[in-house]
């Protein structure tokens, strides 16, 4: 029976950036999920699972205790005894206190096993009787602790859980370290956490504690969360619905510290109104007390100097002096000595030790002092954007001159590629614009909303637009606001269906306004209804209306959309429409937009097998949108470039790009379904098949939730491909049949759109349905011949070769595979060429009378290795092993046997039979230990067994019961 000893001790500490008990515990109660710690948590779990010890380290509030508690709860179930202590700063002077926490309740269980001298010394130390000291009873005490742990371990595994090692009393720390270093093979694991305040002291701090830990202890650092992880954390704790710009501010202010982020989120939730642009986040009293205590040691003048520094974007001593802080050098040196500022060896910037110090200092200052600081910087700052911002924040009420300067600054920020800054400045301009001005405040708000869309801050844009709609009656402003609402919906355009009748009513008979509405109706036809023909007609109508109104921007967008539809439909007018969309005059922002003509041309190039031109085109577009700060377009173009690299057989590069695109998509909440779809394809080609399946399922789920008919078929195609690579042909058939139905219903006839037809035919061959496979091949081939899709034709020939091989037409199958491989190589489709070479090797290996061997697979191996196609390389290894190993007794021992396993599962099973550990298997197969564990779980389930021993017995033809 397990014994679990839990002592909850009071937390209280003093000094800067420390965590009082009530503060830490409230966050702890909310923290039942370990968010953003997958890698660190996995490393610690792996270490503990193999019997090792773990030392977690990081700054206050970073989540060490959360991870510690979660791991302790998990591994307490497999431990006979759990010993716990949680030290505090206020009690760190009391000798043997932590030792009493650890061993006090088990003293009676172990004392009789100890020699008399050790027993006496330990009892004296734990009870306080006899005034035991390390100086007097040092050796006896050290040996007593070691003997006690060994005695407990004799009854079963022991887990020692110690939080806040930095506050351990020195005597307990010395005794625990002495025992830990000498435990050897004794089944005692230590799970500890220690605070390390910053990079300057971090290495020394945890190194000291490592030296007092068992030799095999693994140090696991917990670093700051990313912005996406902070957003997830806030959402899980009930602070969902915050603007992405606000989450960005929380992430920046908290420095990625989860505890600080949660407190900032709580303060925002409790605040009666959200902060306006330029205003600080509400910093709660709990956090202010943590970081501002040392300010009391500064003079008033030094504090004002720090306030100016907290107000500036990139404060330097020179800027502070220009802003009237004559003694800035001495005052910042004093602040640095108190730990409020960090020394920056690489530049003169005045940098706060933590962003929260700056935020709290600004929030604490009275409003007149803040305005004075901004007024000083409005003349001292060298950048015109900074000067305008400070002028606005130093000014109260409306002022047309200030508003005009802010609007000019917003335009400059837009040109610099900083649309988020432009949106913030635009809102400040609207606040200072008198109601009777031209342009008016609502027009400036809408410009800010459009900048927010460009920056990927759709939620902010939507809220601005809806605020304008509550006031304005001007048709132009209302339609413009409706367009922002629709744009902000992204792929979930079906959620704003009610907007379209209102927008049409506001547009009246104005061709310029009607063109904008019909352009969005084209998107609705495509995304919601999946009707490419209707979408094409709406886009053409919008282009004609825009041309009549001389609205070249909307005309170009509509023509680009029409071209996209025609390309995907296989319409013969596609090249001509692309030409019209590329004709002068051009709008520079539309030209590089992901819905512009450049994007349409890229799609046409990819589908026409002009991969080199496609790569050049999308690389140029990506460079331009990055320069302009167009966040949504950057997400799309990264995905497009990943697609191009994948077609070219550059699997490693495709994997990097797709992961980058997905990370940006998650961070901004833009195109996550499409990002997961492309990442799934890249993982299936060059990464982890299990991860590919996970991402593909996510893509399907997201597109179904959004009602996105455009990307649903693409997501299902990715799911079908991932299942095929994972060895589940039946699941691949189910997914890809749905793709076939969806694309037929949508009027998509170009097989180069999703390139799923070859996968479906191959999966059908594997499931014993060659007739349907040939139907897929023949229908797709007719369209590919009509449109001149050479790579699609070659892939279809590869699939037909498999059908012919199944019929025994070996010579014809070899001829088709050889031809397909040569054509794919000529077109630059490296991965598809390698797949053809693999199929050819399989065909040769199965030829009657041919001796089994690995030589026929050499070319496929070479090509897959060139592509860095790791999942496919593993399939070749499995095939070679099956051909060269000779007959195996395992299938004979059980009718289904190992033959029922997918290739990855068979390979993992084979390595288990060789005696490899999960870590060794993961290293050899280039996957994670978690993937190996999940694969083994499936193997056990499929074979009806429970353990590695059963697997070995099964392979040897033995019984498993």
């Amino acid at each position: 029976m397990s014994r679990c000893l839990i002592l909850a001790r009071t937390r209280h500490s003093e000094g800067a950036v420390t965590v009082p008990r009530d503060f830490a515990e409230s966050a702890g109660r909310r923290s039942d999920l370990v968010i953003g710690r997958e890698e660190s948590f996995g490393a610690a779990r792996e270490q503990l699972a193999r019997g090792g010890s773990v030392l977690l380290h990081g700054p206050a509030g970073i989540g060490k205790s959360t991870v510690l508690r979660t791991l302790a709860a998990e591994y307490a179930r497999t431990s006979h005894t759990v010993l716990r202590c949680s030290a505090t700063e206020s009690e760190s002077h009391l000798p043997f206190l932590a030792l009493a926490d650890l061993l006090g309740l088990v003293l009676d269980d172990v004392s009789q096993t100890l020699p008399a001298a050790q027993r006496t010394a330990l009892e004296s130390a734990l009870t306080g009787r006899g005034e035991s000291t390390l100086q007097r009873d040092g050796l006896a005490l050290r040996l007593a602790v070691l003997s006690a742990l060994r005695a407990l371990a004799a009854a079963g595994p022991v887990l020692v859980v110690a939080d806040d090692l930095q506050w351990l009393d020195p005597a307990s720390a010395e005794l625990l370290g002495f025992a830990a270093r000498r435990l050897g093979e004794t089944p005692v694991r230590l799970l500890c956490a220690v605070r390390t305040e910053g990079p300057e002291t971090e290495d020394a701090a945890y190194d000291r504690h490592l030296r007092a830990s068992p030799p095999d202890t693994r140090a696991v650092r917990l670093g700051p969360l990313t912005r996406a992880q902070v957003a997830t954390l806030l959402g899980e704790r009930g602070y969902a619905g915050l603007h992405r710009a606000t989450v960005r501010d929380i992430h920046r202010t908290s420095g990625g510290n989860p505890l600080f982020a949660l407190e900032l989120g709580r303060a925002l939730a409790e605040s009666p109104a959200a902060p306006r642009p330029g205003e600080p986040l509400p910093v709660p009293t709990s956090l202010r007390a943590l970081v501002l205590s040392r300010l009391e040691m500064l003079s008033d003048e030094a504090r004002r100097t720090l306030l100016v520094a907290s107000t500036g974007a990139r404060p330097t001593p020179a800027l502070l002096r220009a802003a009237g802080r004559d003694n800035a050098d001495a005052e910042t040196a004093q602040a640095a000595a108190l730990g409020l500022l960090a020394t920056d060896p690489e530049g003169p910037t005045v940098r706060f030790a933590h962003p929260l110090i700056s935020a709290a200092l600004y929030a604490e200052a009275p409003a007149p002092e803040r305005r004075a600081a901004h007024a000083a910087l409005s003349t001292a700052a060298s950048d015109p954007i900074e000067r305008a911002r400070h002028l606005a924040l130093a000014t109260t009420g409306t002022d047309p001159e200030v508003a005009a300067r802010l609007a000019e600054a917003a335009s400059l920020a837009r040109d610099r590629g900083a649309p988020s800054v432009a949106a913030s400045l635009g809102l400040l301009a609207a606040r200072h614009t008198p109601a009777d001005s031209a342009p008016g405040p609502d027009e400036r708000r809408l410009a800010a909303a459009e900048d927010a869309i460009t920056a990927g801050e759709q939620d902010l844009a939507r809220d601005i637009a809806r605020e304008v709609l509550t006031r304005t009656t001007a048709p132009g402003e209302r339609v413009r606001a409706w367009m922002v609402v629709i744009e902000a919906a992204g792929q979930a355009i079906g959620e704003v269906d009610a907007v379209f009748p209102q927008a049409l009513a506001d547009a009246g008979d104005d061709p310029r306004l009607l063109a904008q509405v019909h352009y969005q109706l084209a998107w609705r036809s495509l995304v919601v209804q999946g009707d490419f023909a209707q979408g094409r007609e709406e886009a053409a109508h919008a282009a004609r209306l825009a041309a009549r109104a001389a609205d070249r921007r909307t005309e170009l967008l509509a023509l680009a959309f029409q071209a996209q539809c025609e390309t995907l439909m296989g319409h013969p007018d596609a090249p001509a429409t692309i030409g019209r969309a590329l004709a002068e005059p051009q709008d520079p922002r539309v030209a590089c937009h992901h819905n512009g003509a450049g994007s349409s041309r890229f799609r046409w190039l990819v589908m026409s097998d002009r991969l080199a031109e496609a790569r050049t085109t999308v690389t140029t577009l990506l460079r331009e949108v990055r320069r302009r700060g167009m966040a949504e377009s950057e997400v799309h173009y990264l995905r497009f470039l990943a697609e191009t690299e994948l077609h070219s057989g550059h699997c490693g590069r495709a994997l990097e790009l797709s992961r980058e695109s997905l990370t940006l998509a998650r961070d901004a909440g833009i195109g996550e379904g499409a990002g997961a779809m492309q990442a799934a394809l890249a993982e299936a080609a060059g990464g982890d098949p299990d991860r590919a399946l996970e991402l593909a399922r996510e893509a399907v789920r997201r597109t179904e939730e959004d009602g996105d008919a455009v990307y649903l078929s693409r997501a299902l195609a990715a799911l079908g491909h991932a299942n095929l690579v994972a060895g589940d042909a039946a699941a691949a058939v189910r997914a890809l049949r749905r793709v076939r139905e969806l694309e037929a219903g949508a009027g998509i006839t170009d097989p180069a759109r999703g390139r799923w037809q070859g996968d479906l035919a191959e999966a059908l061959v594997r499931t014993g349905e060659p007739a349907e496979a040939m139907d897929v091949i023949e229908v797709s081939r007719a369209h590919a011949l009509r449109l001149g899709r050479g790579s699609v034709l070659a892939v279809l020939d590869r699939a037909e070769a498999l059908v012919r091989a199944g019929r025994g037409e070996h010579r014809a199958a070899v001829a088709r595979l050889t031809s397909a491989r040569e054509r794919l190589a000529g077109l630059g489709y490296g991965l598809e060429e390698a797949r053809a070479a693999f199929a050819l090797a399989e065909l040769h290996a199965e030829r009657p009378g041919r001796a089994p061997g690995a030589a026929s697979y050499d070319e496929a191996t070479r090509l897959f290795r060139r592509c860095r196609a790791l999942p496919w390389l593993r399939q070749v290894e499995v095939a070679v092993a099956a051909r060269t190993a000779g007959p195996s007794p395992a299938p004979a021992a059980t009718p289904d046997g190992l033959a029922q396993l997918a290739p990855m599962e068979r390979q993992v099973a084979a390595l288990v039979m060789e005696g490899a550990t999960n870590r060794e298997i993961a290293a050899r197969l280039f996957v994670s230990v978690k993937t190996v564990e999940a694969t083994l779980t499936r193997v056990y389930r499929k074979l009806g067994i429970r353990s590695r021993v059963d697997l070995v017995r099964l392979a040897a033809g033995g019984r498993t019961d």
Side-chain angles (χ1 to χ4, degrees):
M1 180 175 179
S2 287
R3 182 189 295 114
C4 187
L5 308 179
I6 304 175
L7 262 174
R9 301 192 59 81
T10 301
R11 291 177 174 272
H12 181 72
S13 48
E14 299 171 356
V17 197
T18 56
V19 186
R21 173 181 171 79
D22 57 347
F23 187 28
E25 291 300 316
S26 65
R29 283 194 292 271
R30 291 192 299 266
S31 188
D32 55 347
L33 295 174
V34 181
I35 294 171
R37 301 300 184 203
E38 292 80 6
E39 185 175 348
S40 301
F41 195 82
R45 177 191 276 128
E46 180 186 338
Q47 176 76 353
L48 290 167
R50 68 181 188 84
S53 297
V54 170
L55 178 65
L56 304 169
H57 62 99
I62 205 67
K64 301 182 299 299
S65 296
T66 299
V67 174
L68 186 94
R69 285 193 299 268
T70 307
L71 287 167
E74 180 175 337
Y75 286 94
R77 294 192 295 268
T78 61
S79 300
H80 183 269
T81 305
V82 179
L83 308 175
R84 299 177 187 260
C85 73
S86 183
T88 64
E89 184 180 17
S90 61
E91 297 170 338
S92 61
H93 65 286
L94 299 174
F96 306 123
L97 186 61
L99 189 66
D101 286 351
L102 290 170
L103 298 178
L105 296 183
V106 296
L107 181 59
D108 291 343
D109 296 342
V110 299
S111 63
Q112 297 308 312
T113 67
L114 304 179
Q118 294 180 23
R119 181 170 63 251
T120 301
L122 185 59
E123 288 177 347
S124 177
L126 296 186
T127 62
R129 295 191 295 271
E131 297 183 355
S132 178
T133 66
L134 269 182
Q135 184 176 2
R136 191 181 71 188
D137 302 318
L139 181 58
L141 268 175
R142 288 175 172 86
L143 293 174
V145 173
L146 177 60
S147 298
L149 290 174
R150 284 175 174 165
L152 290 169
V158 176
L159 178 65
V160 178
V161 182
D163 200 1
D164 281 323
L165 282 186
Q166 73 277 0
W167 304 134
L168 230 64
D169 63 275
S172 295
E174 165 62 24
L175 292 169
L176 187 60
F178 176 88
R181 291 190 295 272
R182 289 162 177 80
L183 285 169
E185 298 300 319
T186 307
V188 177
R189 294 172 294 183
L190 270 67
L191 173 58
C192 306
V194 62
R195 179 183 303 179
T196 49
E197 290 298 347
E200 303 84 2
T201 61
E202 187 172 58
D203 289 346
Y206 85 81
D207 274 349
R208 173 164 51 86
H209 289 286
L210 267 181
R211 288 194 295 273
S213 302
D216 67 342
T217 299
R218 181 169 185 175
V220 177
R221 180 181 181 274
L222 299 184
L225 300 182
T226 65
R227 187 169 74 173
Q229 290 164 348
V230 165
T232 301
L233 178 67
L234 291 167
E236 292 287 351
R237 302 303 184 269
Y239 305 129
L242 296 172
H243 285 167
R244 295 190 186 279
T246 302
V247 172
R248 180 189 63 212
D249 289 343
I250 290 176
H251 177 253
R252 182 180 63 247
T253 302
S254 68
N257 185 298
L259 190 63
F260 298 168
L262 285 172
E263 286 301 300
L264 290 167
R266 181 180 62 79
L268 276 169
E270 295 173 354
S271 177
R276 296 187 297 180
E279 291 183 342
L281 293 175
V283 180
T285 303
S286 56
L287 290 185
R288 294 188 196 186
L290 291 178
V291 300
L292 296 181
S293 58
R294 280 171 288 181
L295 282 175
E296 297 174 0
M297 302 174 67
L298 290 174
S299 65
D300 290 343
E301 289 302 308
R303 185 166 179 157
R304 290 191 186 95
T305 295
L306 288 194
L307 175 61
V308 175
S310 73
T311 303
R314 291 173 298 278
T316 63
L319 177 64
L320 295 176
R321 289 193 295 272
R325 309 311 303 166
D326 297 334
N327 296 318
D329 290 339
E331 289 161 353
T332 54
Q334 182 188 4
L338 291 171
L340 293 165
L341 297 179
T343 304
D344 189 349
E346 298 182 0
T349 304
V350 175
R351 185 166 58 87
F352 284 88
H354 192 282
L356 190 60
I357 298 174
S358 173
L361 176 64
Y362 188 93
E364 188 80 3
E369 287 189 19
R370 290 188 208 161
R371 286 196 294 272
H374 284 296
L377 289 171
S378 69
T379 57
S382 59
D383 185 83
I385 292 177
E386 274 298 293
R387 288 199 300 271
R389 173 180 168 273
H390 287 301
L391 178 62
L393 295 173
T395 305
T396 57
T398 60
D399 186 319
E401 183 178 342
V402 171
R405 282 187 58 182
L406 284 164
E408 291 172 7
S411 178
L412 180 57
R414 196 177 301 123
D415 291 341
R416 287 183 181 178
S420 180
V421 174
S424 176
L425 291 168
L427 288 175
L428 285 170
R431 187 199 305 177
H432 291 286
T433 300
D436 57 353
S437 293
D442 282 338
E443 187 172 349
R444 283 180 166 149
R445 287 188 182 94
L446 289 171
E450 289 161 354
D451 284 325
I453 288 283
T454 301
E457 297 174 5
Q458 278 81 353
D459 43 7
L460 174 61
R462 180 178 53 248
D463 287 356
I464 295 170
R466 291 200 177 278
E467 180 189 351
V468 169
L469 285 165
T470 62
R471 285 194 305 268
T472 187
T473 58
E477 289 182 349
R478 290 188 63 80
V479 170
R480 190 176 174 187
W482 289 127
M483 295 304 99
V484 169
V485 172
I486 294 169
E487 285 281 354
Q491 295 299 115
I493 192 171
E495 296 179 1
V496 293
D497 249 3
V499 164
F500 289 99
Q502 299 176 72
L504 284 169
D506 284 330
D509 57 0
D510 186 327
R512 182 179 63 85
L513 301 180
L514 284 170
Q516 296 175 39
V517 180
H518 280 281
Y519 170 66
Q520 295 295 349
L521 281 168
W523 276 106
R524 181 188 177 280
S525 298
L526 193 62
V527 174
V528 178
Q529 298 172 298
D531 191 334
F532 278 71
Q534 179 64 28
R536 174 180 178 269
E537 291 179 13
E538 287 283 6
H541 182 44
R544 290 191 294 270
L545 287 167
R548 210 167 84 205
D551 179 0
R552 184 60 172 163
R553 180 181 184 277
T554 303
E555 181 187 10
L556 289 169
L557 285 169
L559 286 171
F561 182 93
Q562 181 183 343
Q564 284 267 41
C565 288
E566 290 172 351
T567 299
L568 297 175
M569 294 168 64
H571 196 286
D573 290 350
T577 307
I578 292 174
R580 290 171 60 200
L582 289 169
E584 295 294 340
Q586 283 289 316
D587 181 314
R589 297 185 70 80
V590 173
C592 65
H593 193 275
H594 63 276
N595 289 329
S599 177
S600 298
R601 183 171 183 271
F602 161 79
R603 177 59 54 203
W604 183 79
L605 288 169
V606 167
M607 294 173 68
S608 301
D609 298 328
R610 295 163 66 173
L611 296 182
E613 291 178 71
R615 182 185 293 105
T616 301
T617 297
V618 74
T619 301
T620 302
L621 290 168
L622 178 60
R623 186 184 306 117
E624 181 62 15
V625 298
R626 279 175 165 166
R627 187 185 72 80
R628 293 178 176 273
M630 299 168 69
E632 185 173 6
S633 292
E634 180 180 359
V635 169
H636 284 286
Y637 287 140
L638 278 169
R639 193 177 73 250
F640 291 173
L641 186 54
E643 177 187 351
T644 308
E645 298 295 358
L646 197 55
H647 287 320
S648 302
H650 304 150
C651 299
R653 176 65 174 149
L655 195 57
E656 292 172 4
L657 288 164
S658 62
R659 286 172 176 171
E660 183 181 356
S661 175
L662 182 57
T663 297
L664 288 176
R666 293 198 196 288
D667 194 28
I670 299 170
E672 292 179 74
M677 175 272 298
Q678 187 59 49
L681 292 171
E683 290 284 353
D688 182 347
D690 289 334
R691 177 64 175 152
L693 285 168
E694 180 184 334
L695 286 165
R697 292 184 185 114
E698 178 191 344
V700 172
R701 175 179 57 79
R702 286 187 180 277
T703 51
E704 285 180 332
E705 288 173 353
D706 288 344
D708 183 355
V710 173
Y711 274 106
L712 176 57
S713 62
R714 296 290 304 276
L716 286 165
L719 179 59
H721 179 74
N723 275 305
L724 186 65
V725 173
D728 192 343
V733 168
R734 289 193 296 273
L736 295 173
R737 277 175 174 159
R738 281 190 67 192
V739 178
R740 193 182 189 192
E741 293 169 4
L742 286 169
E743 292 205 349
I748 300 172
T749 61
D750 194 330
R753 190 245 178 174
R755 299 176 183 270
W756 49 266
Q757 298 82 0
D759 281 347
L760 176 54
E762 183 175 336
L764 287 165
V765 170
R766 293 189 189 182
T767 56
E769 300 168 89
E772 186 180 345
M774 279 307 302
D775 179 62
V776 171
I777 290 167
E778 289 169 356
V779 170
S780 303
R781 181 178 283 145
H783 290 303
L785 284 168
R786 174 175 60 85
L787 296 167
R789 304 305 191 218
S791 62
V792 174
L793 288 167
V795 169
L796 293 172
D797 279 356
R798 185 184 70 205
E800 183 177 347
L802 301 180
V803 177
R804 289 182 177 272
R807 294 173 181 168
E809 302 172 16
H810 185 272
R811 187 184 300 274
V814 168
R816 282 195 177 271
L817 279 174
T818 302
S819 171
R821 181 194 161 185
E822 291 171 353
R823 284 178 285 149
L824 288 166
L827 291 168
Y829 285 80
L831 183 57
E832 298 295 351
E833 176 197 358
R835 288 180 64 181
F838 185 26
L840 197 57
E842 291 274 74
L843 199 56
H844 284 314
E846 292 171 359
R847 186 173 182 178
R850 183 180 179 91
S856 59
Y857 292 93
D858 288 349
E859 184 63 5
T861 300
R862 182 185 70 81
L863 292 173
F864 281 135
R865 186 171 289 124
R866 183 183 70 184
C867 294
R868 290 182 60 190
L870 300 182
W872 290 100
L873 272 172
R874 289 193 285 270
Q875 290 196 31
V876 175
E877 289 179 9
V878 171
V880 171
R883 300 292 179 191
T884 57
S888 168
T894 173
D896 294 326
L898 302 183
Q900 67 177 292
L901 302 179
M904 177 68 168
E905 294 165 353
R906 286 200 300 272
Q907 193 165 11
V908 169
L911 291 169
V912 167
M913 293 173 208
E914 295 175 8
T917 66
N918 286 1
R919 174 181 281 278
E920 290 167 344
I921 295 170
R924 181 162 173 184
L925 299 183
F926 304 99
V927 296
S928 66
V929 174
K930 181 180 177 183
T931 297
V932 174
E933 293 170 351
T935 304
L936 274 176
T937 300
R938 293 198 302 273
V939 169
Y940 298 158
R941 184 176 64 249
K942 288 183 179 181
L943 299 181
I945 60 178
R946 296 184 294 274
S947 69
R948 287 168 167 261
V949 175
D950 290 344
L951 184 57
V952 174
R953 288 175 179 166
L954 180 66
R959 294 176 61 83
T960 61
D961 53 7

